[in-house]
């Protein structure tokens, strides 16, 4: 009985507050127990060690779980539950079956790779002939969900004419699991014999893609491939401007060096570094050193001024960068704003708005609104004409520009134009472009729901609030002339087109460019794709006409 109460004693008073939160206590026990069981197995794990590493006592472990066997079973149930929750969050029903099956296969590979404890627990349970799983109704229920998920994807693929008949969801699950488990379970021996190149970051990204390729190769009908098996004509799938792929090769290679456990802050820093490395030469006639800080109801916000060296009173564009409301800055979009300033002999005010998830809606919106009013109030100091101020942005920045333009109309703040580049104007993922371009390139549909929730967690507000979804406004009459640039191979394409149609219906002068052959974010590819630069020059020419005296 020497270990009976070793978790109690001097540490108990400090834990008294912790014990008032039973869910947190139970979660903490499961987390630590998972690590210990995965490292030492069922027979090697000791409750004493688990208790010592938790924020509770051995007595409480027995209170919650009864004995070591029940704790081990609860750890298994929790591990499977977490994986199934991850699958449910993928929103695969919004994807075409080819994209959905690839997404599920690659998710499984990633899950096992980033959660080696899960694989070790499965291996340990196999040593015990799955004796503990057989007594768990929870595990049986959890794992039936992935079969139902695969059944739905496979059924849709067969009905759409992409997948061959005669397979079962259980067979597909076996193949996906087999490769994904081997990648973790045999890593040590495989690396010892053959080297660890396949387990480098680059190697794992490659194998992840291979898993999707292999599963799709198994299910696609003869004569079809994953590339052709999309809900659009086969020849159209090959019509992306080939120069875009030159850009994507460089872009994806640079992003592949980001670690799998990167935080939002890590991604931002990585993006800043990539943008610096890929930045084009700044036009010599553009001054870029001036910065200002503006107070707002969303907190202080920095702006960087890109100004043509001609001086005098210039037209101005307030510009918001893209980056899913989570990353980006005036510096990451330097190439765009510097060229607008150069080609139009004007001033561009690039806004470093607050980023989610630390600063969700309405912080960025309030900051952009404050900058717009500040620019008008400080026009003389800035050397700009208050009657020739336009607003614009790309992607999430286009969303902010459109939202603030609506408020400026309502509050009597005049704008001469709005430039919306592949903007997110609403959050309706049932539009055809989301299915057609689910896999991008560059922007993928699968992660959108989670990204949108970081900006605004209220799903109803995402759908109805025009400060978030500009398309939801009751009327768009009275908005300034608008240029909407979309890309044919962009999930957001139909959102932008729907906004252009709504503006035109409400009497707003609208110019639209469909972006044939182009993808979301194509302005980043100007060094590689002449058509990308041509599109920006067209936007500038349109803006220049509206900004002339």
């Amino acid at each position: 009985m020497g270990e009976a109460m070793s978790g109690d004693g001097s540490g108990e008073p400090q834990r008294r507050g912790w014990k008032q939160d039973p869910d947190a206590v139970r979660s903490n026990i499961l987390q630590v127990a998972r690590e210990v069981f995965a490292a030492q197995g069922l027979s090697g794990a000791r409750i004493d060690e688990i208790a010592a590493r938790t924020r509770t006592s051995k007595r409480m472990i027995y209170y919650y779980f009864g004995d070591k066997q029940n704790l081990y079973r609860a750890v298994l149930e929790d591990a499977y539950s977490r994986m199934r929750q991850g699958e449910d969050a993928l929103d695969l029903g919004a994807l075409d079956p080819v994209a959905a099956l690839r997404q599920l296969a690659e998710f499984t590979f990633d899950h096992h790779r980033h959660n080696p404890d899960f694989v070790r627990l499965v291996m340990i349970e196999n040593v015990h002939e799955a004796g503990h799983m057989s007594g768990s109704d929870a595990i049986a229920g959890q794992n039936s969900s992935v079969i139902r998920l695969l059944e739905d994807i496979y059924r849709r693929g067969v009905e759409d004419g992409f997948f061959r008949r005669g397979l079962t969801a259980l067979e597909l699950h076996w193949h996906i699991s087999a490769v994904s488990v081997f990648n973790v379970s045999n890593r040590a021996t495989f690396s010892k014999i053959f080297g660890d190149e396949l387990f480098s970051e680059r190697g794992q990204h490659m194998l992840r893609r291979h898993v999707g390729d292999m599963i799709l190769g198994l299910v696609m009908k003869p004569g079809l491939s994953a590339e052709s098996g999309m809900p659009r004509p086969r020849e159209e799938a090959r019509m992306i401007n080939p120069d875009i792929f030159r850009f994507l090769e460089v872009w994806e290679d640079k992003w592949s060096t980001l670690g799998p456990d990167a935080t939002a802050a890590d991604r931002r820093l990585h993006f800043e570094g990539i943008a610096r490395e890929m930045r084009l030469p700044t036009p010599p006639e553009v001054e870029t050193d001036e910065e200002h800080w503006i107070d707002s109801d969303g907190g202080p916000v920095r702006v960087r001024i890109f100004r043509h060296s001609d001086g005098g009173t210039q037209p101005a564009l307030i510009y918001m960068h893209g980056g899913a409301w989570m990353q980006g800055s005036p510096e990451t979009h330097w190439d765009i704003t510097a060229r607008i300033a150069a080609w139009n002999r004007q001033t561009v005010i690039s806004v470093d708005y607050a980023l989610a998830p630390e600063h969700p809606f309405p912080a960025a919106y309030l900051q952009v609104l404050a900058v717009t009013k500040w620019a008008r109030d400080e026009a003389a100091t800035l050397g700009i004409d208050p009657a020739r101020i336009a607003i614009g942005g790309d992607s999430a920045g286009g969303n902010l520009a459109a939202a603030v333009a609506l408020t400026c109309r309502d509050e009597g703040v005049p704008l001469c134009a709005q430039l919306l580049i592949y903007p997110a104007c609403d959050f309706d993922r049932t539009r055809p472009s989301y299915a057609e371009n689910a896999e991008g390139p560059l922007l993928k549909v699968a992660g959108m729901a989670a990204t949108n929730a970081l900006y605004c967690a209220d799903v109803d507000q995402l759908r109805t609030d025009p400060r978030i979804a500009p398309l939801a406004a009751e009327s768009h009459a009275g908005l300034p002339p608008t240029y909407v640039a979309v890309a044919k191979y962009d999930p957001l394409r139909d959102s932008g087109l729907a906004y252009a149609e709504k503006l035109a219906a409400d009497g707003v002068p609208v110019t639209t460019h469909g972006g044939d052959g182009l993808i979301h974010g194509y302005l980043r590819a100007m060094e590689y794709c002449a058509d990308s630069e041509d599109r920006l020059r067209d936007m500038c020419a349109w803006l220049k006409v509206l900004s002339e005296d």
Side-chain angles (χ1 to χ4, degrees), residues 47-67:
I47 297 295
D48 274 341
E49 179 181 354
I50 295 171
R53 291 172 55 179
T54 65
R55 286 178 269 178
T56 186
S57 65
K58 181 177 176 181
R59 181 179 64 190
M60 293 303 293
I61 293 177
Y62 285 133
Y63 172 79
Y64 280 104
F65 299 101
D67 57 24

Side-chain angles (χ1 to χ4, degrees), residues 27 29 73 272 316 400 413 426 513 527 549:
S27 178
I29 293 170
R73 184 179 293 109
E272 296 287 338
L400 288 166
V413 180
D426 70 345
H513 194 283
E527 181 179 3
D549 289 321

